[in-house]
Amino acid sequence: MPDRLTSSSNERALRAAYRHCRRAVRRRDPVEYAVMQLTPPALRPAWWAMWAAFAAADDIADDPGTDRAERAARLHAWTTQLDGDLAGGRSDDPVRHALVDTVHRWDLDLGTLHRSFTTLAADTGGREFATWAQWSSWVRGTNHSWAVEGLRLLARAGVHIPLWLDRTESYRRYLDGLYLTDTLADLGDDLSRGELLLPADVLASFPGAEDDLRAGRYTPAVRDLVSHLTGRARHWLHQPELLGGLPPGPAVVFDAATRLFLARLDAVDAAGGKLLHQPTVPSRVTRWRLLAPARAQTALARRLLSCPVDHRTPPPPAESRGTVVVESGPVTSPPPHPGGARPPSLAPGELPRHVAVIMDGNGRWATQRGLPRSEGRREGSTAVREAFHGALELGLPYLTLYSFSTENWKRSTDEVSELFALCREELRTHRFAQYGVRARWAGSPEGLPEDLVDELLRVQHETRHQTRLTLTLCLNYGGRAELTRAARALAHRAASGQIDPARIHEADLAAQLSLPDLPDVDLLWRTGGEQRVSNFLPWHAAYAELHFTDALWPDTDRRDLWQAVTAYTHRRRRFGSAPRVPEQPRSSAPAPV
Ligand code: IPE
Ligand code: IPE
Ligand code: MG
């Protein structure tokens, strides 16, 4: 019994240690954190621990509040304690505790990491570089050991990254590009500590820039210097040939990381004077745009290639934003229909896999009653719950709801903001996970209130492991915009040599859509009497069966969904083929879905 208590308190301490590291990365470097989160979940704690350990040692090495001797002594003490902790298998310091666990768990080589600490210790007196060559050699001394151990970690997890000897210089240049980008993005922070981590010769070629930088002045000389440096970093990072030969999962992560760092350089160029006072990160919208497809692709790659790492998973740090993550578990049945109606009994083979709904007629419902239009949408939220409860009772795997189109921005500001407020409220109060619903969002964050975007992403994250029904909310969604984004992404990949334009197939375009795994729509149902599709899921609904009903959305309930599905089971789907034998009128024969 005492053993069990000890082991559970150890486990708690370990969770807390990893949680501490995770918070450190997320707060200080959201871009690198986002890249780490693209890797298989079992590996993420190890990245957080390694990142946090490097940051902790680096902070000691350039702490402006202490003198050189003290910095050197503190760093020495820190690394000595690390060795002791490693021998004892645990530490009182959360960062070292997590690192020790990571080193043991993955059998990493602490000796390699010591090389990085030694380089840091050597320059506790201040870092100055005369030339790019000196700068590079310092960067390599401090950073490469982490890259080497990162590769070792991947190899231990069964993810083998092939390295080519004749690309050694390219790898180094790439890492220099990452570091130069970091340096530029954190220029303000370094300057506030009196540090300017750039070679003297490059500073000298922009007369006046160094003095201006140190005085916190953003002048034309500084701007030209910064744009020269972002150009150099872009050149180092842009090496599409490095993607060649990488396995699919790592290729997506590498590609996404590169794009994020390039976006960070764009943000540095655009930051103007702010660059000297605050860290520069790409906007949330840009990050989201780059990460959403990468997240879907890495998840898909993980599903396709079984990842052999799970047995090494450390106790997962609980979500640290105060929200409760409800993982898959026993799910509750949805509340029954108020009138006691039961779903039609349809065989699983008859059911459509994916039903998409245009919930139209809210405005008219309200106007007919002399109410403001937004009241119709409020009333419609009961019908939304009815629809997804009905989908659960029926056993539908995918339900997609059109909540706000990119064209709906043409409505009055009041109507739009009330609608967003209502969506936010619905997201906050819905208990998707309780019913086993994985809720996802398709659409663009552009123009949406940040807290609504946060709410959508939160719900998406919290319900990601649910499997009973996938409910996709199309909010600020436009079908043409989605296709245009996908075409742009493909054009980008073709222009950078990653794909051959002559070999672009439908699946390649589908892979660039917001939710690449969303299946084709089998049944598209629109309420409110209009017979059009209003820019809704043009790719997925190319072969959908269409079903239009007159009822206004707030007047519908789950029985209307069941009727739509029953009508669908009477359709004959041919997908371009001709019937072999003359067709008989159908009553209840299964539909060839
Ligand atoms: C659809 O209902 C919901 C949204 C577009 C947000 P409408 O608001 O279009 O309702 P009608 O068509 O004007 O009645
Ligand atoms: C489609 O309805 C959009 C949503 C239901 C969210 P609209 O009412 O905006 O469509 P149109 O403009 O009448 O085609
Ligand atoms: Mg309408």
Side-chain angles (χ1 to χ4, degrees), residues 358-360 402-405 408 411 526 530 532 534:
I358 303 178
M359 311 179 289
D360 197 22
Y402 205 5
S403 304
F404 185 82
S405 75
N408 289 147
R411 301 185 176 200
R526 179 175 188 143
E530 310 288 1
R532 54 179 174 255
S534 304

Side-chain angles (χ1 to χ4, degrees), residues 291-351:
L291 285 167
R295 278 187 198 125
Q297 285 164 12
T298 46
L300 189 65
R302 275 205 294 283
R303 272 205 298 280
L304 294 178
L305 315 163
S306 66
C307 186
V309 295
D310 284 352
H311 65 287
R312 295 194 188 241
T313 312
E319 183 57 53
S320 49
R321 290 168 79 190
T323 49
V324 181
V325 181
V326 185
E327 306 286 356
S328 319
V331 294
T332 321
S333 297
H337 179 262
R342 297 292 308 144
S345 58
L346 301 169
E350 284 185 293
L351 277 181

Side-chain angles (χ1 to χ4, degrees), residues 346 523 547 561-572:
L346 301 169
L523 169 63
H547 181 73
L561 173 76
W562 295 340
Q563 263 166 27
V565 169
T566 306
Y568 166 88
T569 63
H570 296 288
R571 301 281 176 89
R572 287 180 191 280

Side-chain angles (χ1 to χ4, degrees), residues 354-357 387-388 391 396-401 469-472 561:
H354 183 185
V355 176
V357 189
F388 95 78
L396 275 186
Y398 287 87
L399 177 70
T400 298
L401 302 176
L469 165 70
T470 297
L471 176 70
T472 303
L561 173 76

Side-chain angles (χ1 to χ4, degrees), residues 357-362 364 373 377 401-408 410-411 419 474-477 526-527 530 532-536:
V357 189
I358 303 178
M359 311 179 289
D360 197 22
N362 298 287
R364 276 165 285 161
R373 287 178 55 82
R377 182 63 181 76
L401 302 176
Y402 205 5
S403 304
F404 185 82
S405 75
T406 43
E407 287 68 34
N408 289 147
K410 294 173 193 157
R411 301 185 176 200
L419 199 140
C474 290
L475 203 157
N476 203 17
Y477 173 88
R526 179 175 188 143
T527 61
E530 310 288 1
R532 54 179 174 255
V533 292
S534 304
N535 201 16
F536 187 38

Side-chain angles (χ1 to χ4, degrees), residues 105-252:
R105 190 178 294 275
W106 296 98
D107 196 13
L108 302 185
D109 182 355
L110 195 65
T112 315
L113 299 182
H114 264 300
R115 279 204 284 285
S116 162
F117 299 135
T118 312
T119 313
L120 285 175
D123 57 35
T124 42
R127 301 158 191 180
E128 276 172 19
F129 320 104
T131 60
W132 275 119
Q134 282 183 8
W135 179 90
S136 256
S137 116
W138 179 80
V139 167
R140 290 166 193 189
T142 50
N143 286 269
H144 282 202
S145 15
W146 297 92
V148 169
E149 286 313 291
L151 287 173
R152 194 188 311 272
L153 168 65
L154 289 170
R156 298 270 193 259
V159 182
H160 294 281
I161 307 289
L163 295 177
W164 280 266
L165 269 181
D166 60 352
R167 290 186 186 168
T168 308
E169 200 39 47
S170 308
Y171 300 135
R172 288 188 174 146
R173 271 214 324 270
Y174 186 83
L175 291 176
D176 284 354
L178 294 179
Y179 193 78
L180 181 54
T181 307
D182 265 348
T183 304
L184 290 169
D186 293 335
L187 205 54
D189 202 26
D190 289 345
L191 285 168
S192 70
R193 287 197 303 260
E195 279 203 319
L196 187 51
L197 300 174
L198 293 166
D201 61 357
V202 76
L203 291 171
S205 43
F206 292 84
E210 179 171 358
D211 290 343
D212 291 337
L213 274 173
R214 291 194 187 277
R217 290 188 300 263
Y218 189 80
T219 56
V222 169
R223 188 198 54 218
D224 293 349
L225 168 70
V226 168
S227 119
H228 168 82
L229 293 169
T230 52
R232 183 180 276 259
R234 269 189 202 96
H235 179 68
W236 284 341
L237 289 174
H238 183 71
Q239 300 189 66
E241 67 281 5
L242 291 184
L243 269 169
L246 281 182
V252 176

